[in-house]
Amino acid sequence: MQGNREKMEGQNQCKKKLRVCVATCNRADYSKLAPIMFGIKSHPDEFELEVVVLGSHLIDDYGNTFRMIEQDDFDIGSKLHTIVRGEDEAAMVESVGLALVKLPDVLQRLRPDILVVHGDRFDALALATAAALMNIRILHLEGGEVSGTIDDSIRHAISKLAHYHACCTRRAEQHLIAMCEDHSRILLAGCPSYDKLLSTHHRDDHMDIIKSWLGDVKEHDYIVALQHPVTTDIQHSIKIYGLMLDALLSFKKRTLILFPNIDAGSKEMVRVMRKKGIEQNPNFRAVKHIPFEQFIQLVCHAGCMIGNSSCGVREAGAFGTPVINLGTRQTGRETGENVLHVRDADTHNKIYHALELQFGKRYPCSKIYGDGSAVPRILKFLRTIDLDEPLQKTFCFPPVKECISQDIDHILETQSALSVDLGGTNLRVAIVCMRGKIVNKYTKPNPKTFEARMELILEMCREAMQYAVHNNCRILGVGVSTGGRVNPQEGIVLHSTKLIQEWSSVDLRTPISDALHLPVWVDNDGNCAALAEKKFGHGKGVENFVTVITGTGIGGGIIHHNELVHGSTFCAAELGHIMVSLEGPECSCGSRGCIEAYASGMALQKEAKRLHDEDLLKVEGMDMKLSEPITAAHLINAAKLGNPKANAVLNKAATALGVGIINILHIVNPSLVILSGVLASYYQAPVQHTISERALFSVQSIKVVTSDLEEPALLGAASMVLDYETRRIY
């Protein structure tokens, strides 16, 4: 009997419900947490739900939004008044302290198995800190994202305190891995709010909801405005807020404007709104809170959404609603094509122009942040949590070398990048230090198949990383330079050159990052050459310049206002395919008259073979072996020895290149042109001459220089890792 009793107790213990505490601080995080709470509540045999409410939920000025939690039929176990009023930086700090004073009693009473916290709010930081110190497991939602303000620091701090992560996007997952979080405890779930909005935004009564908030207004003929303070630059965010209101007043469309959140600076923003008479203006409806189900209807059917709320860059994309994102609060967020960014504005005219461009448009729906199945994934993830596992979390650090040398040069760490260059013939991997010195380089023939190529890349990278460990080089990340058209935002090779087979629609970032546990940047070799010049070459300190690669093909990159130009489909700076003749020779791209068809190494080799076949290439004093292949070098050598036919070919090639560069000068007006590649020194003088003869007078004085860099592709790939500004752009 004793044995049976113990067996039954063991079975009951196995069936013990998971006690989950969900803590919500404001209206925004409740929209993400509510679907999870409903999911937990629908499985009473597996989970026991406790709800803690704190923060701005309990403040009248922000709508007393705890009532909507009660209306959703959730029992609130604890209400904690944790906000110290003042809406400035000191009040935020005091609010965190007040929450830390009150939370221990609540958590000790509830004794949850796991605490669910969301996002990047200062209230959530207090929750995570208290739970971590009280040995309570933490599940953090939406870790790994980037938004460009103090919220980033708070979010990443919560991620380091949390034991488990449910993130929304693949990039966020990669960021968490790069932060040394255990991959087995990261769930790529999607955003929980998408579960509700994707299933309910096609409501038949949406016009009734619009009418209840905005009166008699047509669908897609109104604006939703929601702007919050940027706590790291309060005065500037207040200025942008005032300019937004001026633009909306001038635009004269019916506008639903929500009050800002409780962050430092919100009080001043409300004063600006009242000073401009927004609450009395018949075109505006100013409100403190709207229930989430109704809010998504209003966003879905709006003619435009404006402000800096995360809803604009996240949820609005699911509907294709046009969005104008103002200022820096969401810098770094992944967005769909529906978002137009206005980073800065001195007058309201720029914002007004953005409204003219965006209002009334519709965009394709984007599911970057979820597919509507986040909650089932999260519930399944919760079921897998083993409460018998050690509570102490572990981090997945990259290997480091024990310091055994007393030599100061070895003790001082060398910050470096792992640089990969995928050429048509060779695959090269190098360790590049911060000063642009190549510490070590590895070269092997580039395999012909995709599988063999990926295997060799990882093998060479691991070999380089072992060398880095032993030589005290700290690898910050991996930069990859490859031929073809590349989406650098996703790290995907879209279309490759003919020289690299099986290399289209290839995700390079994910497998390399997964294998090496490092952040990875990818771009094409022309853009990398421009980045190399920007960091290490003639382009250092130059705001606008163009790099033209003259090698087997013709390529390059454009730096405009210190940023690399990629274009809308990542096809910008295809300089080799600028057409300089309607009836010119056929190009490898299938067109005719491209610069590459005249001036590339392949084109010159083709002309050299033609002259050789016609016995017009060799001249007196020219040494040619019968067995050696004919190359562009033979053509150049023949021209130097006075061969008129070779001279004519090279003059035509140089003129074509010069005319193409003139087109670039007339379009983007750089202050410098840098020629790179094996033919650069030959082309420099004739290209400069062509510009002085044929270009508009205003650009004739622009200098053409040859690159001093020996390995522009490797150095450019490294610069994507080493250069903070470039890293921020990518």
Side-chain angles (χ1 to χ4, degrees), residues 24-50:
T24 173
C25 311
N26 55 59
R27 66 190 181 197
D29 77 11
Y30 181 66
S31 69
K32 315 293 177 66
L33 293 168
I36 300 172
M37 293 161 66
F38 280 115
I40 292 171
K41 191 176 179 180
S42 66
H43 293 82
D45 54 328
E46 297 178 272
F47 303 108
E48 186 176 340
L49 176 65
E50 293 287 349

Side-chain angles (χ1 to χ4, degrees), residues 566-615:
H566 284 105
S568 59
T569 58
F570 313 105
C571 196
E574 285 288 352
L575 308 183
H577 301 292
I578 295 174
M579 296 177 66
V580 293
S581 171
L582 295 178
E583 300 298 333
E586 187 176 352
C587 181
S588 61
C589 70
S591 185
R592 286 186 173 275
C594 299
I595 297 175
E596 190 167 292
Y598 286 102
S600 67
M602 293 285 285
L604 297 183
Q605 182 183 33
K606 184 178 178 181
E607 287 297 300
K609 286 180 178 178
R610 180 182 64 80
L611 291 177
H612 178 69
D613 292 342
E614 294 173 7
D615 203 23

